[in-house]
Amino acid sequence: SGADLVRLRSAGGAGLVAKRLSDGGDWLGRALGGGVRSAELWSEGALARVAGFDPAVERAVDLEGVWWLVMRDVSASLLGDERRLTREESRRILSAAAAMHAEFRGDGPESLATLEARLGASSPALADAERTGHDLVPKQLPAAWDAFAAAFAEDVAGPVRALVDDPAPLIEAMRRSEWTLLHGDLRDDNLGLDGETIHLLDWDLATFGPPAVDFAWYLMHDAWRIDATHDEIVADFLEAEEGYVDQEDLALGLIAGLVMYGWLVGHSAVIHPDPAERAWAAEEIAWWEPRVREALETLEPPV
């Protein structure tokens, strides 16, 4: 997102990292309605209530309209680019997420982003909104969504693209379950394992919505590095949520997964020059396409 990070050392010698937050200061923040969500969640006491995870936040400081989020330096615990996860480690992450979802069930803090904004954060419309900015990702979205349409079957690609432009039918269907605090960016880059502690960083995309949205994002990003099949990871998620999420909730969450990240799979399948990346995309399409095709039938009226 382009946020500034500064390494610090406390008077006692402890390593700290300060993240600069400004209202609307990066493209993701603007896509989710502006704000300094991580600082607001700390100020509201929400981060102190997070069960299962350690956000590693020490304090948030407002310096003349610019917020700095001061965190313990937990970089040594972060997963990095290559580390694999055992199935048991993934289960621990999903159990921690389930504990967080249970803690905030029906009780989302005021500063959370709307589900509409979160689902729309990869819309091709962002390319127009961010055309004069310096960030590359928003400018890639139209071509990447075209690649998605080329990579997926039309009966999946067409309805998903319609939901990218207007997620209202999906959001309405998701109201069947009780919503909660979602981290919004539950994935490897934000996760760290330190003994029994699971660090979860970067709460700027925190959203009010159903747990399956958090899971779909996690599955899309991290299945490749987990020593388990997609279906096993799905089973572990449902078990961790202890009945909070049923099969229909899961189906709607999988649709949301493609609405949020289908563009990247399409880009990897059609545009990316690396054969390994194309092979990954082909495997993802083979798993996601039939399940989202079936899930789309749960939407009324059909998209």
Side-chain angles (χ1 to χ4, degrees):
S1 66
D4 294 329
L5 297 174
V6 179
R7 287 188 180 274
L8 308 171
R9 192 161 298 280
S10 71
L16 300 170
V17 174
K19 180 178 182 179
R20 185 181 187 274
L21 305 172
S22 59
D23 195 354
D26 62 81
W27 72 269
L28 270 175
R30 291 189 290 273
L32 269 70
V36 286
R37 194 157 290 110
S38 292
E40 291 169 343
L41 288 170
W42 185 88
S43 299
E44 294 166 356
L47 292 186
R49 287 179 54 197
V50 169
F53 295 117
D54 175 10
V57 175
E58 290 292 301
R59 63 184 302 186
V61 182
D62 182 3
L63 297 178
E64 299 181 352
V66 175
W67 282 90
W68 288 89
L69 193 71
V70 182
M71 302 170 284
R72 300 188 305 281
D73 186 352
V74 298
S75 55
S77 75
L78 299 181
L79 298 184
D81 293 334
E82 304 297 334
R83 186 191 189 288
R84 296 195 61 79
L85 290 170
T86 67
R87 184 178 181 185
E88 179 55 34
E89 287 173 327
S90 175
R91 282 174 173 157
R92 287 178 54 208
I93 292 167
L94 293 173
S95 294
M100 176 183 70
H101 296 152
E103 169 64 25
F104 289 91
R105 194 175 301 172
D107 182 26
E110 291 184 5
S111 59
L112 295 181
T114 66
L115 187 57
E116 180 180 12
R118 181 65 188 89
L119 294 181
S122 57
S123 167
L126 283 179
D128 289 333
E130 296 292 330
R131 194 167 303 282
T132 60
H134 63 271
D135 297 295
L136 176 61
V137 171
K139 297 175 176 61
Q140 292 179 311
L141 289 172
W145 279 116
D146 288 346
F148 169 81
F152 282 77
E154 170 57 28
D155 64 337
V156 173
V160 169
R161 277 293 288 110
L163 290 168
V164 171
D165 294 332
D166 178 15
L170 178 58
I171 293 171
E172 185 60 32
M174 286 179 164
R175 296 191 189 282
R176 68 186 300 275
S177 62
E178 195 171 19
W179 289 9
T180 185
L181 180 151
L182 310 180
H183 178 266
D185 200 9
L186 182 62
R187 61 186 175 98
D188 41 15
D189 284 356
N190 295 323
L191 287 162
L193 300 180
D194 183 9
E196 296 301 311
T197 300
I198 304 175
H199 297 296
L200 182 57
L201 309 181
D202 196 352
W203 294 79
D204 296 333
L205 306 187
T207 300
F208 193 52
V213 173
D214 254 354
F215 173 69
W217 191 250
Y218 173 78
L219 184 67
M220 187 74 80
H221 278 83
D222 290 354
W224 69 270
R225 70 158 76 211
I226 300 170
D227 294 328
T229 66
H230 284 62
D231 290 332
E232 288 173 335
I233 301 168
V234 168
D236 293 340
F237 164 66
L238 293 174
E239 181 179 354
E241 293 288 346
E242 297 181 335
Y244 184 15
V245 178
D246 63 19
Q247 289 293 336
E248 187 170 342
D249 295 328
L250 172 66
L252 296 171
L254 294 181
I255 298 173
L258 286 191
V259 169
M260 293 185 292
Y261 211 51
W263 66 271
L264 189 283
V265 180
H267 180 278
S268 295
V270 175
I271 299 173
H272 205 290
D274 187 347
E277 187 76 11
R278 287 176 175 251
W280 167 81
E283 292 175 0
E284 292 298 305
I285 292 169
W287 190 87
W288 285 83
E289 188 173 79
R291 287 159 181 82
V292 172
R293 177 181 291 114
E294 182 178 353
L296 287 165
E297 297 176 359
T298 67
L299 286 180
E300 294 292 342
V303 176

